[in-house]
Amino acid sequence: MNTEQRPDTPAEPIRFDTKIAVLLREDLEPWQRLNVTAFLVSGLGSQVPEVIGAPYEDADGVSYLPMFRQPVLVFEGTKEILTAAHGRALTRALPCAVFTSDLFATGNDRDNRAAVRAVTTAGLDLVGLAVYGPRNGVDKVLKGARMHP
């Protein structure tokens, strides 16, 4: 194990004052959990540029795409917890992405957007939500949810 400190690596752990979180409905199949999580975080990465870090490069100089600059925490909860969290995220005006059960029946972005647009906010059958914002604000949005096992 290389214990040498690189010049661009800080000695102290980095603490973030923000949080990226995904909340999944607890009754999803494993493949659905992965698919929903991937779709949800792509929305944050595309619309909230400060969540993206610098590009990666290996020791041979091969470049790789940048990723989030901080961990993504994944939670789960009941349909009721998800609905309440969605309402709190909207009330706090935090950037969020939604995934509804209708999206499992579509196969492309156009149809996904049409499926969400066809339903009122209160009528969305949410199976996932991604949210970004101040740590304490995101914690309040996720009240009642538990960490994904």
Side-chain angles (χ1 to χ4, degrees):
M1 180 172 156
N2 184 358
T3 59
E4 180 180 329
Q5 182 83 17
R6 290 183 48 146
D8 61 346
T9 305
E12 296 295 316
I14 296 174
R15 301 259 320 147
F16 296 99
D17 57 352
T18 58
K19 185 179 274 189
I20 299 172
V22 171
L23 174 57
L24 301 171
R25 203 164 74 191
E26 64 187 0
D27 61 350
L28 295 179
E29 294 292 327
W31 73 267
Q32 292 173 318
R33 291 171 184 257
L34 295 171
N35 185 264
V36 170
T37 300
F39 270 93
L40 288 170
V41 297
S42 71
L44 291 177
S46 67
Q47 295 299 304
V48 187
E50 66 267 22
V51 301
I52 303 297
Y56 285 74
E57 184 176 294
D58 67 25
D60 292 324
V62 176
S63 296
Y64 302 96
L65 294 172
M67 296 186 284
F68 289 127
R69 66 184 181 96
Q70 66 191 86
V72 176
L73 302 173
V74 182
F75 297 82
E76 69 175 8
T78 63
K79 181 176 182 172
E80 295 77 20
I81 287 173
L82 194 55
T83 299
H86 179 243
R88 289 190 291 265
L90 295 178
T91 299
R92 287 177 163 61
L94 295 177
C96 70
V98 297
F99 197 105
T100 68
S101 63
D102 297 328
L103 302 187
F104 290 126
T106 62
N108 61 75
D109 185 53
R110 181 195 66 227
D111 293 341
N112 286 351
R113 286 182 284 110
V116 173
R117 182 175 293 282
V119 181
T120 65
T121 303
L124 293 173
D125 184 15
L126 297 169
V127 298
L129 170 79
V131 64
Y132 170 76
R135 262 195 344 228
N136 63 344
V138 172
D139 289 342
K140 289 175 183 173
V141 165
L142 298 174
K143 183 178 179 184
R146 62 191 174 277
M147 287 295 293
H148 189 279

